[in-house]
Amino acid sequence: MDNEVVFRHDARLRAESIAIRTEVFIKEQGFRDEFDALDERSRHLVAFVDRVPVGTTRYYRIDQNTYAIGRLAIVKSHRGQGLAKALIRQTERAIEKEGGSQIQLHAQKRLQAMYEKFGFSSLGVEDEDEGVPHIWMAKSI
């Protein structure tokens, strides 16, 4: 990442996150039920490169020490530049500040290796979300 990256942390789902998730999950990948009730109780992060929103994710508390990360999306033009890792790291820092020590995520199976590089391990539970294979993964921070 050669350009300046800025992260915005928000308690509400904002237009930038909606646009990124619509582009990646609905238009590119064909998901229909992208937005859900968890968006209302989640905190959202958006990555901006040169003031342009290019990536997003959300997180929410499951219990006292455990949080879930989800809906990680990077626009196609900015993939392969380390933004996914940067968003995960920023999210982990935010979770740590809130007192969390465990993180879970429901990853698309095709992205399992990427999340393993970020320190996540499979919980051995696989299922489907709208016909797309997913796997539950976890990490201690």
Side-chain angles (χ1 to χ4, degrees), residues 89-116:
R89 295 293 177 249
Q90 286 290 328
T91 306
E92 289 173 354
R93 286 186 197 109
I95 290 169
E96 277 186 304
K97 285 181 182 178
E98 292 185 23
S101 59
Q102 301 291 318
I103 300 174
Q104 294 182 3
L105 57 82
H106 192 225
Q108 291 183 28
K109 183 77 171 141
R110 67 183 182 83
L111 297 173
Q112 180 177 350
M114 178 187 77
Y115 286 110
E116 287 171 345

Side-chain angles (χ1 to χ4, degrees), residues 24-93:
V24 173
F25 294 122
I26 296 173
K27 292 180 181 176
E28 280 183 38
Q29 298 181 12
F31 285 93
R32 295 175 309 278
D33 299 323
E34 172 53 24
F35 301 97
D36 58 27
L38 289 173
D39 282 318
E40 293 181 25
R41 63 180 267 226
S42 295
R43 295 198 177 275
H44 302 268
L45 276 83
V46 178
F48 294 82
V49 173
D50 298 330
R51 293 188 234 159
V52 176
V54 297
T56 189
T57 193
R58 72 178 185 190
Y59 72 93
Y60 57 91
R61 183 187 298 263
I62 295 174
D63 63 33
Q64 183 70 22
N65 301 315
T66 308
Y67 285 72
I69 294 176
R71 303 303 206 256
L72 174 66
I74 307 295
V75 296
K76 193 177 255 183
S77 62
H78 284 75
R79 292 182 195 151
Q81 299 175 23
L83 285 169
K85 183 177 183 177
L87 265 170
I88 291 292
R89 295 293 177 249
Q90 286 290 328
T91 306
E92 289 173 354
R93 286 186 197 109

